[in-house]
């Protein structure tokens, strides 16, 4: 057990071995490449999950409760299809594509309604996942 | 330690670190001089590549991202 200062609440507590990105987001079936602005190369995600003793249990739960579980729901890494991509498809094209197929005289399909997938809650969740690096 | 072997330090965030920490603790609002841009890449090629976070200045803004 490692007892140190939690990087979020800054209390001295037992620290969890925190993943900077949720472990579920690491691809299991393939080895992707990494890319930075300056270099690129193969990335063995099984060996190089980025984690360290960073947060106490309470702050780990705070991230999970306020963002990561929501992000994992929408990205659906264990499933075949990202729920977010699915909803984006509905919002941005699926309806208008069907209209075009039915009526070929519609040359420029118009989006008839605003995308409905966005909510402040979802945005906050994505934000929590994205800024986890900031406190590492 | 990032996949390319480089070591990231939160020092790069300088004065932005503490306001963001307080926001994540639920003790303040998102700082007014901070914006969050989310890019969703749904194509196959994008999903094969991990982009690691970088800090650089773009259009007079400190950008912390890929």
């Amino acid at each position: 057990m490692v007892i140190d200062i939690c990087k979020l609440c800054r209390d001295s507590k037992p620290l969890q071995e925190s993943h900077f990105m949720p472990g579920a987001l690491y691809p299991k079936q393939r080895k992707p490449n990494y890319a930075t602005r300056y270099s690129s190369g193969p990335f063995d995600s099984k060996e190089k999950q980025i984690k360290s003793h960073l947060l106490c249990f309470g702050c780990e739960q705070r991230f999970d409760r306020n963002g990561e579980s929501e992000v994992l729901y929408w990205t659906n890494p264990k499933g075949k299809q990202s729920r977010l991509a699915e909803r984006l498809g509905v919002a941005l094209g699926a309806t208008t594509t069907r209209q075009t197929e039915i009526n070929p005289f519609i040359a420029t399909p118009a989006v008839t309604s605003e995308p409905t997938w966005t909510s402040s809650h979802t945005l906050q969740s994505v934000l929590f996942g994205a800024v986890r690096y900031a406190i590492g | 330690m990032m996949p390319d072997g480089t070591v990231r330090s939160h020092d790069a965030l300088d004065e932005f670190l503490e306001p963001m920490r307080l926001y994540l603790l639920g003790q303040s609002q998102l700082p007014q001089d901070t914006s969050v841009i989310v890019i969703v890449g749904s194509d196959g090629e994008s999903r094969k590549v991990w982009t690691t976070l970088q800090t650089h200045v773009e259009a007079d803004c400190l950008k912390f991202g890929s």
Side-chain angles (χ1 to χ4, degrees), chain A residues 22-87:
Chain A
L25 291 180
Y26 285 84
K28 298 290 190 296
Q29 304 299 328
R30 55 187 167 79
K31 291 184 178 179
N33 291 323
Y34 75 87
T36 70
R37 292 171 69 86
Y38 310 107
S39 65
S40 63
F43 172 39
D44 187 343
S45 59
K46 284 186 178 176
E47 295 180 2
K48 294 186 178 177
Q49 293 195 2
I50 304 169
K51 53 188 176 182
S52 68
H53 292 97
L54 190 72
L55 303 174
C56 67
F57 178 78
C59 287
E60 276 284 344
Q61 294 302 303
R62 185 193 311 275
F63 270 103
D64 180 65
R65 189 174 59 246
N66 291 333
E68 286 179 352
S69 59
E70 184 84 3
V71 168
L72 291 175
Y73 172 79
W74 284 106
T75 54
N76 193 22
K78 303 294 184 189
K80 291 182 179 178
Q81 174 73 33
S82 158
R83 294 185 176 96
L84 180 58
E86 200 171 71
R87 296 300 298 272

Side-chain angles (χ1 to χ4, degrees), chain A residues 7-10 21 25-27 30 32-39 43 48 50 59 62-63 66 82 84-85 88 123-124 126-128 130-131 133-136, chain B residues 1-6 8-10 13 17-18 20-26 30 36 38 40 42 47-56 58 63-66:
Chain A
K7 292 292 195 299
L8 186 57
C9 67
R10 293 190 173 163
M21 291 288 287
L25 291 180
Y26 285 84
R30 55 187 167 79
N33 291 323
Y34 75 87
T36 70
R37 292 171 69 86
Y38 310 107
S39 65
F43 172 39
K48 294 186 178 177
I50 304 169
C59 287
R62 185 193 311 275
F63 270 103
N66 291 333
S82 158
L84 180 58
L88 281 170
L123 179 59
Q124 184 186 35
V126 172
L127 175 61
F128 263 87
V131 301
Y133 281 94
I135 61 171
Chain B
M1 178 75 76
M2 304 303 283
D4 61 352
T6 59
R8 292 276 170 264
S9 167
H10 63 250
L13 290 177
L17 178 62
E18 183 62 11
M20 189 60 75
R21 189 184 73 85
L22 294 175
Y23 169 71
L24 292 175
L25 275 173
L30 183 70
V36 178
V38 179
V40 180
S42 60
R47 294 170 66 92
K48 291 178 184 173
V49 177
W50 272 56
T51 54
T52 62
L53 299 182
Q54 305 285 314
T55 303
H56 60 280
E58 187 173 302
K63 185 179 177 184
F64 187 73
S66 58

